[in-house]
Amino acid sequence: MTYIKGYSCTICGKFYETKAEMVLCPDCKDKGILEIEFDYEKIKTVFSKEVLKDNKDYSIWRYLPLLPVEEKYTKGSLRVGWTPLLESKNNELYQIKKLHFKDDGLNPTLSLKDRASVIACVKALENNNRTIACASTGNAASSLAGNAAKMGLKTVIFVPKRAPIGKLTQLLVFGANVIKVDGDYKKAFSLSKKAIEHFGWYNRNAAINPNLIEGKKTVALEIAEQLDFDVPDWVVVSVGDGCTIGGVYKGFYDLLQLNMIKKIPKILGVQALGCDPFYQAFINDKPLEETDEFTIADSIAVGIPRNPVKGLNAVKKSKGSYLVVSDEEIMKAMKLLAESEGIFAEPAASAAFAGFIKARSENLIKEEETVTVIITGNGLKDTKNALTILEEPVLLEDDLEELIRYFKKEKRG
Ligand SMILES: *Cc1c(COP(=O)(O)O)cnc(C)c1O
Ligand SMILES: [Zn+2]
């Protein structure tokens, strides 16, 4: 059984009391993205801090009463979630009281997207649907391919002609049926939409499927639990479509309704300077407008975000903020994060850390506050961009004297 009460529309606000699966508001059509509403009073009877203490399932399934899925279909999935929350020892360097990194690059396919993809797989099984499809060049697709492989489901992934090689490799090795579409992402999306309707496949095109944000919210549930429910003042996360940040808000919102935390952290959404529709909408207090997609952070290069309402509400309702960082700041942050914390993050994930650094330099985040930065994807996803800022290693003969001269000259060793 699930504890769903119904669905409310993020556009017109109408509430639909039903347990039957809904995707879009019938009144608002394509724009009518729905929010799943839970019966918190019922959840309280089966879910608490004490229950969690005795729960040995270290995956997102430990939060089952707060998820829109049936337990029986969760068996046999990859182990998604319960990623490490690492405390930084560099408080002096960053001038901050307390800083944690939630390393979601350590999920099974190396990104936070696993939290949504595993839910999509379970929903497909519930609906007796053996094939899942999506259009993506990035982590949504590679995580779907991996999670589907484990659960015995087929995947059809539509990618634009020029897909990044690292993530394409993941798709192929997981055995996805990859269709290259002659054209850009919009063309790939368009064919996927027609094909999904024609063949009746399960749709993992993120934003519109309200189940997926519920998977992503588990990152917030974990941050809270790993901090003994003493949540930080700020949570920092990078933003593309707006689903991840929407999920972060929803997770803390749930816990507040259950009286398990005292406040919702302020949420800082970070975008790339060359692709910043949420930032523009937020600072100018107006609806989202399409922007260019000029950034190396491919996972957040989303000029037309598909979850505008949830992405803006997360920041507004938590009294947080949006800010932008340049590609140069992103790459600098990537290097610093790797060198001083031992975490290798892909550019989109490094953007969140760059955002934290900027927020400190502008004193948006105060020194006496506590912060958690979410690392949404692993650096091995994109070594090409990382190598552009790294030095080639030295090449020496098998000669100790030469090595000694090298260390003297370089003052290394
Ligand atoms: C998808 C993704 C994001 C942003 O999530 P949205 O839901 O698109 O806002 C950030 N970082 C990484 C690594 C991602 O894959
Ligand atoms: Zn509506």
Side-chain angles (χ1 to χ4, degrees):
M1 70 169 281
T2 67
Y3 295 85
I4 295 173
K5 222 163 52 179
Y7 298 78
S8 62
C9 175
T10 57
I11 301 295
C12 70
K14 194 166 167 193
F15 179 66
Y16 299 90
E17 192 174 338
T18 173
K19 280 185 181 278
E21 195 174 347
M22 289 180 72
V23 177
L24 289 166
C25 170
D27 290 350
C28 302
K29 307 266 169 9
D30 271 3
K31 281 194 176 4
I33 293 175
L34 296 171
E35 179 97 66
I36 296 178
E37 305 258 352
F38 288 90
D39 187 339
Y40 295 110
E41 291 314 308
K42 262 209 192 120
I43 290 172
K44 276 180 192 167
T45 64
V46 296
F47 183 79
S48 66
K49 293 180 190 178
E50 288 65 42
V51 169
L52 284 172
K53 252 185 211 136
D54 296 330
N55 192 333
K56 299 279 184 302
D57 182 347
Y58 292 105
S59 77
I60 68 166
W61 305 132
R62 65 194 281 103
Y63 306 111
L64 206 59
L66 282 167
L67 293 172
V69 294
E70 301 284 349
E71 180 170 16
K72 77 170 177 188
Y73 296 106
T74 63
K75 311 285 180 213
S77 71
L78 288 174
R79 199 204 60 106
V80 175
W82 203 258
T83 55
L85 185 76
L86 302 162
E87 183 172 353
S88 173
K89 294 275 173 276
N90 294 303
N91 309 57
E92 230 162 277
L93 177 64
Y94 313 131
Q95 298 282 296
I96 191 77
K97 181 176 157 197
K98 207 181 254 296
L99 174 65
H100 283 90
F101 295 98
K102 177 67 172 162
D103 192 1
D104 251 45
L106 294 183
N107 272 302
T109 77
L110 309 185
S111 83
L112 186 145
K113 295 287 193 294
D114 282 334
R115 296 178 186 274
S117 291
V118 72
I119 297 276
C121 290
V122 172
K123 294 311 288 183
L125 288 174
E126 282 180 15
N127 291 321
N128 206 11
N129 213 327
R130 307 303 303 181
T131 304
I132 311 183
C134 79
S136 162
T137 60
N139 292 327
S142 55
S143 79
L144 181 64
N147 280 280
K150 179 72 174 84
M151 295 173 89
L153 292 161
K154 286 205 171 71
T155 46
V156 183
I157 316 274
F158 295 84
V159 301
K161 205 167 160 191
R162 260 173 292 135
I165 192 73
K167 292 168 184 176
L168 186 64
T169 308
Q170 274 188 307
L171 294 181
L172 295 171
V173 80
F174 286 133
N177 197 340
V178 181
I179 312 288
K180 272 196 178 187
V181 181
D182 199 355
D184 60 6
Y185 176 73
K186 284 173 206 143
K187 283 260 156 50
F189 188 85
S190 161
L191 182 59
S192 81
K193 195 164 170 238
K194 286 181 264 189
I196 287 165
E197 272 164 28
H198 180 80
F199 293 102
W201 298 325
Y202 192 80
N203 186 349
R204 194 243 182 264
N205 278 330
I208 60 161
N209 184 336
N211 294 300
L212 302 186
I213 238 179
E214 301 298 325
K216 287 185 170 186
K217 81 181 175 188
T218 56
V219 73
L221 304 177
E222 288 174 18
I223 290 169
E225 190 180 355
Q226 287 168 321
L227 291 170
D228 261 329
F229 299 96
D230 184 10
V231 296
D233 297 311
W234 288 90
V235 170
V236 187
V237 65
S238 61
V239 180
D241 267 320
C243 297
T244 307
I245 196 169
V248 169
Y249 177 79
K250 183 76 182 286
F252 290 121
Y253 175 87
D254 281 355
L255 293 176
L256 192 67
Q257 306 314 307
L258 296 167
N259 301 322
M260 289 169 74
I261 56 174
K262 292 201 185 72
K263 63 169 185 197
I264 291 177
K266 289 173 273 190
I267 300 174
L268 178 62
V270 183
Q271 293 220 282
L273 186 63
C275 184
D276 60 351
F278 276 108
Y279 172 73
Q280 292 298 338
F282 180 75
I283 56 159
N284 298 313
D285 198 19
K286 58 172 200 200
L288 258 76
E289 277 169 27
E290 181 175 356
T291 69
D292 288 327
E293 297 182 346
F294 293 140
T295 173
I296 53 166
D298 63 297
S299 302
I300 53 168
V302 184
I304 312 175
R306 280 163 292 163
N307 220 331
V309 179
K310 288 184 190 177
L312 276 176
N313 278 351
V315 164
K316 286 184 183 161
K317 291 189 177 168
S318 72
K319 304 199 164 52
S321 193
Y322 265 103
L323 58 70
V324 283
V325 289
S326 67
D327 280 2
E328 203 188 333
E329 289 170 310
I330 290 172
M331 296 312 281
K332 262 194 185 158
M334 172 191 279
K335 187 92 192 313
L336 179 62
L337 184 66
E339 281 180 349
S340 34
E341 307 291 340
I343 299 171
F344 183 18
E346 68 165 276
S350 304
F353 183 49
F356 160 74
I357 292 170
K358 191 160 209 176
R360 271 302 295 126
S361 75
E362 292 174 355
N363 216 29
L364 171 65
I365 293 178
K366 307 278 186 292
E367 184 168 1
E368 64 276 10
E369 291 186 302
T370 58
V371 183
T372 296
V373 175
I374 301 177
I375 304 300
T376 44
N378 195 287
L380 288 174
K381 295 260 187 187
D382 180 5
T383 50
K384 203 170 128 240
N385 275 312
L387 284 170
T388 61
I389 57 153
L390 302 172
E391 262 174 65
E392 275 277 316
V394 65
L395 180 68
L396 298 181
E397 297 294 322
D398 174 12
D399 179 348
L400 181 62
E401 293 306 314
E402 203 188 338
L403 180 66
I404 292 168
R405 275 197 302 278
Y406 167 73
F407 276 131
K408 256 195 191 145
K409 192 166 123 247
E410 295 285 319
K411 295 200 171 56
R412 293 186 191 219

